[in-house]
Structure formats: C-alpha cells, structure tokens
Amino acid sequence: MKDIYIWTLNNYVGSKESMIRGKIMQSTEDFENGISAENILSKLNNGNIFDFDYTPQERDTLSISFNAKNRAEYKYFSLIVRDGIWQNGRNPAFVSIHKEIAQGEVKVIYKEENIFLNHCKHLKRTYGIDIPELIKVRCANLKDDSQDPIYLALINFKEYKIFYTHEFIKHVAKTYFKTYPDENSEKLQIIIDHAQNKFSLLEKKFISETENLAFLNRCFKDLNNDIKKCFTMVIPVGDEEYLFTDGFLSGTIGYKSKRKNSYFKNHSQKLKFESFELSKKTI
C-alpha cells in the first residue's frame, strides 16, 4: 500500500448525547514534508483550494491524516472554521454530528527537474524498486549535498537485500529435506545466505552468475511467485539499518535482529535466517 495523505472536509450538523468517554490522540501539526497545519491554513484563508465550489460554514472541519486506514502509526491534524476564519482545532469528539462534504488525497508538489525524483525513477526502471512516497517527500527538496542518511543511501544505491519470511524458509526446508532426505542443511544454508542479495524484482526470480539458485526459484514458484508472502524488501541505510520498501512496513526503518530465527527439521537438518526489528527512529 503506497503512502498517502487523506483529507476529509466535514460540515457541522449539530450535537448529540453520548455515553462514550475517552482520550483523543494528540494531533501532529507538521508532517515535515510541506504538509503542515500552518501551510494548509495559509492557503485556506486565502481562497478556495478545492476543485469544486465551496463556501466555508461556521464549524466546518478539515482533517488530514497519513495512511489513516492502512498503518498502525496514525498521524493527523484537524482544522476548523471559527468566526469565519480557518484555524487549528476540531469540534468536540463523541458528541458532534458531521456530514461529509468531500474527501480526497493530498498531492505533494515537487520542484521540476528534481535530481532525487529522477533517481527514484531510475531505481524503478533499473531494479524495479518503488521508493515509498513518504521517502520522496522527505528527500525530494533536500540540497544535493545533503548528508541525510536515507538520501545518501538512495543516491549512492548499490544493492538491496531481502529478509525471508518464516513461511518461505519453512517451505524451502520441507521441500529440500523431502527431496534429499539424507542431506544435512549445510549446502542449502550456503545457498540461502548467498541468495539474500540476488533476488531480481524486475524478473521476479533469483539470479546469480556463480551459484545455482534454481531450487530457490522452484520454491518461490511453489508459493505462486508471491513476493509479499516470501520476502521483505529492504535497502541498507546505515550500520545494520534498513529502509523497508514494500508492504505495510514501507517507508519505515528497521535493523537486523540480534536474535536469530531458525527453522529446525532435526538435529542435523536446520536452516537459519535473519529476522528484523523495527527501529524507534521515525522518518
């Protein structure tokens, strides 16, 4: 799921009684990518910014949220019309009745001929990598000599790697030991480790000039060539730190776990594979 910013414009209808009690999550007034309460307010109070006729009514609200329905890390801010002027705030929660006027996606405008965005297009064409929108809006308007670690990692990109899922490793081990019941896992372990940087997103298979990876490609095909089921794609951005580029973790930072997961068949047949943990750092 791509990173998106959703806006929702609501009209205040009235109030109601409610027995619901609770705390409201604190808003984030600046997403640090050009989308902020201050910037939106300045535009709202200087004319109609919507692509339809709209005249603000007292206590109308505009809320903007980051992947509100798709990520555990919910971020938002809310604006309200008071005394004919847009300002920070919202109507009382739980007791307010709203009618939705419209909803849409906030479009981030980048500078033309942007070096970083052109590089993202290159990564897409050459490697099949989709750089998350969250990363684009973070890095697109940085200076060319920026020392931002994620900016540098992508500009100086050399290779990505994968973290295998438990489901894929389990299938690989089961298939291998069933096919070669008298083998231990040493040879397969070498292949597993070597192939971690050898998966091609463009061709959707493992590719190597020095190692025969046909067995892993067979296992991948067994699972319907489903990348999300088999791997998590990451790009190194520092010392054991990685930028996740797909799935619900897209745009987040993680690192190789110190705790190694393993799939064991028996004492002589086992496969070890790297796991990861999410970093406490925020993009």
Side-chain angles (χ1 to χ4, degrees):
M1 183 67 68
K2 72 172 185 175
D3 298 316
I4 55 176
Y5 299 83
I6 297 297
W7 60 266
T8 305
L9 181 64
N10 287 312
N11 175 245
Y12 177 75
V13 177
S15 62
K16 63 180 179 180
E17 293 186 3
S18 175
M19 298 298 292
I20 300 176
R21 296 291 183 271
K23 294 182 178 180
I24 302 299
M25 184 181 296
Q26 186 174 355
S27 63
T28 301
E29 293 190 5
D30 191 344
F31 291 139
E32 299 181 350
N33 55 16
I35 302 176
S36 68
E38 181 180 1
N39 287 345
I40 301 298
L41 282 172
S42 66
K43 297 179 185 300
L44 286 169
N45 286 319
N46 280 284
N48 182 21
I49 66 174
F50 302 101
D51 59 359
F52 55 87
D53 291 334
Y54 167 68
T55 302
Q57 303 295 319
E58 192 70 8
R59 299 183 70 172
D60 279 0
T61 57
L62 175 67
S63 63
I64 298 179
S65 58
F66 171 59
N67 269 0
K69 297 181 179 179
N70 304 310
R71 294 173 67 97
E73 188 180 354
Y74 182 95
K75 295 181 180 179
Y76 80 99
F77 61 79
S78 183
L79 311 174
I80 189 171
V81 179
R82 293 191 186 280
D83 300 323
I85 299 174
W86 283 99
Q87 52 190 282
N88 285 311
R90 58 184 298 163
N91 289 305
F94 309 128
V95 297
S96 297
I97 303 174
H98 297 99
K99 178 181 179 182
E100 183 176 303
I101 299 173
Q103 185 182 89
E105 181 179 343
V106 179
K107 299 294 184 181
V108 180
I109 305 299
Y110 304 106
K111 296 176 182 177
E112 294 183 2
E113 299 300 322
N114 186 284
I115 293 177
F116 181 78
L117 292 180
N118 287 337
H119 186 64
C120 290
K121 293 178 181 178
H122 166 72
L123 295 180
K124 175 65 174 178
R125 290 193 303 266
T126 308
Y127 302 99
I129 299 174
D130 279 313
I131 301 303
E133 192 70 15
L134 176 63
I135 302 303
K136 290 180 182 178
V137 297
R138 167 185 169 139
C139 298
N141 293 323
L142 293 176
K143 294 182 178 179
D144 296 345
D145 60 353
S146 172
Q147 296 302 301
D148 180 276
I150 293 180
Y151 176 87
L152 290 175
L154 295 178
I155 287 293
N156 300 316
F157 174 85
K158 294 181 179 178
E159 65 178 9
Y160 55 84
K161 67 180 289 183
I162 59 176
F163 282 111
Y164 300 106
T165 66
H166 184 271
E167 181 176 359
F168 181 71
I169 291 295
K170 182 177 180 179
H171 178 70
V172 167
K174 181 179 179 181
T175 304
Y176 186 81
F177 297 139
K178 182 178 180 180
T179 306
Y180 310 105
D182 298 327
E183 289 268 359
N184 62 33
S185 58
E186 292 180 6
K187 181 178 179 180
L188 181 58
Q189 186 69 63
I190 293 173
I191 296 175
I192 285 288
D193 294 342
H194 177 80
Q196 201 165 6
N197 298 87
K198 303 300 180 183
F199 186 80
S200 170
L201 278 170
L202 289 176
E203 299 188 45
K204 291 190 176 181
K205 66 179 181 179
F206 292 95
I207 298 176
S208 175
E209 296 179 357
T210 59
E211 195 84 30
N212 185 352
L213 304 179
F215 176 74
L216 288 188
N217 284 323
R218 169 190 163 188
C219 292
F220 181 54
K221 186 176 181 180
D222 289 343
L223 296 177
N224 299 316
N225 296 336
D226 189 335
I227 293 177
K228 292 182 179 180
K229 184 183 292 186
C230 298
F231 324 118
T232 297
M233 313 298 301
V234 298
I235 295 175
V237 295
D239 185 19
E240 299 295 338
E241 284 193 328
Y242 301 97
L243 169 66
F244 293 83
T245 63
D246 65 338
F248 73 97
L249 293 175
S250 176
T252 60
I253 295 292
Y255 56 93
K256 186 170 65 175
S257 175
K258 296 179 181 179
R259 176 172 50 88
K260 290 188 176 180
N261 290 343
S262 299
Y263 172 77
F264 294 92
K265 179 68 175 180
N266 58 37
H267 183 69
S268 64
Q269 297 177 330
K270 62 183 180 181
L271 280 182
K272 294 187 296 184
F273 64 102
E274 294 179 348
S275 60
F276 62 85
E277 297 178 16
L278 294 181
S279 172
K280 294 181 180 180
K281 295 180 180 180
T282 56
I283 296 297

